[in-house]
Amino acid sequence: MKNLMDMTDEELALSYTNGSNRAFDILLERNQSRLFSYILFVVRDREQANDLFQETFVKIITKLQEGKYTTTGKFGAWIMRIAHNVIMDWYRSKRSDKTVEQGNDNDLSKFSPADLLDLNVENRYVNDQVMSDVKKIMNLLPATQREVVFMRFYQDLSFKEIAELTNVSINTALGRMRYAILNMRRIAKAHNVVLQLD
């Protein structure tokens, strides 16, 4: 039998449905950081993100136990779709209460594409500033646009994957990205912010 640590997420999910609790522990370890970062980025409130993260994993466990997971798709995409649905349900409930709170805790320090670039100190400083400005501007976007930008640029997902995860058509995902970019340009221009990496 294959060692659990050597199994893919898809194999671990099936192993869990066959009774291996340790398989689920490994799945959680592998996916919790990425999933929580996604939830936190969208809801912008650490306490609420923790609640939604817990709710997401309860749904993941329930769906696995009910046999609603098949290995036809990637496990990571499947759990991101569940997280997206949990977040959208939360937004709907907030909308029905007529109150949507903007949280102050939106730590995106984990995501620094500039770290991947081999730059001199001056360029690194400029690029760090640009990325900081981009993150601030992204926080001003509507949740659906912010989500698409995050998935595309921070998680490197294709528009097809984004459409599947958010349960919309590819055209809708592309439209949200288009409006996000237009809005980010408008906000940058209004605040005289130059968004160009060196």
Side-chain angles (χ1 to χ4, degrees):
M1 183 176 162
K2 197 172 185 181
N3 183 333
L4 288 176
M5 296 304 285
D6 296 332
M7 289 184 176
T8 65
D9 286 355
E10 293 75 22
E11 291 170 329
L12 287 170
L14 292 178
S15 183
Y16 172 68
T17 60
N18 291 328
S20 172
N21 288 331
R22 177 69 184 128
F24 185 79
D25 293 342
I26 296 169
L27 275 174
L28 178 61
E29 288 170 21
R30 286 184 186 175
N31 292 283
Q32 67 184 357
S33 177
R34 185 172 73 117
L35 192 63
F36 181 78
S37 296
Y38 164 68
I39 294 170
L40 177 60
F41 184 80
V42 176
V43 302
R44 300 187 291 186
D45 177 275
R46 186 168 293 278
E47 189 174 321
Q48 187 59 52
N50 277 319
D51 290 347
L52 294 174
F53 176 78
Q54 296 300 327
E55 184 178 340
T56 298
F57 262 95
V58 166
K59 289 198 175 198
I60 290 168
I61 291 168
T62 303
K63 289 180 181 293
L64 284 171
Q65 290 174 344
E66 292 172 351
K68 292 186 177 175
Y69 173 73
T70 60
T71 57
T72 55
K74 289 196 178 233
F75 181 78
W78 184 72
I79 65 173
M80 292 294 281
R81 189 175 306 114
I82 293 171
H84 168 79
N85 291 339
V86 167
I87 292 167
M88 291 303 112
D89 288 345
W90 175 72
Y91 270 120
R92 282 186 208 101
S93 73
K94 294 295 281 181
R95 194 177 313 133
S96 67
D97 293 342
K98 302 291 183 215
T99 58
V100 178
E101 297 174 16
Q102 179 173 345
N104 294 325
D105 187 16
N106 191 20
D107 179 17
L108 295 178
S109 60
K110 297 180 205 76
F111 305 103
S112 181
D115 289 344
L116 303 175
L117 303 173
D118 184 21
L119 305 169
N120 66 39
V121 174
E122 183 180 346
N123 286 352
R124 184 174 295 275
Y125 175 77
V126 170
N127 288 347
D128 286 347
Q129 184 59 50
V130 169
M131 293 310 295
S132 174
D133 292 340
V134 167
K135 290 172 187 175
K136 288 175 187 170
I137 291 171
M138 284 175 63
N139 286 336
L140 300 174
L141 295 174
T144 54
Q145 292 174 20
R146 193 170 59 249
E147 179 182 42
V148 166
V149 171
F150 179 80
M151 289 177 156
R152 182 72 185 115
F153 293 106
Y154 290 96
Q155 294 185 319
D156 201 26
L157 298 178
S158 70
F159 283 106
K160 180 180 179 192
E161 291 169 319
I162 292 169
E164 290 171 1
L165 288 172
T166 57
N167 294 321
V168 297
S169 70
I170 291 178
N171 286 340
T172 299
L174 288 166
R176 287 177 179 173
M177 177 62 79
R178 179 177 174 269
Y179 285 116
I181 290 170
L182 290 173
N183 283 331
M184 289 177 73
R185 285 181 182 156
R186 180 183 50 78
I187 294 166
K189 186 176 181 181
H191 293 90
N192 293 318
V193 175
V194 178
L195 300 177
Q196 181 176 341
L197 294 174
D198 286 331

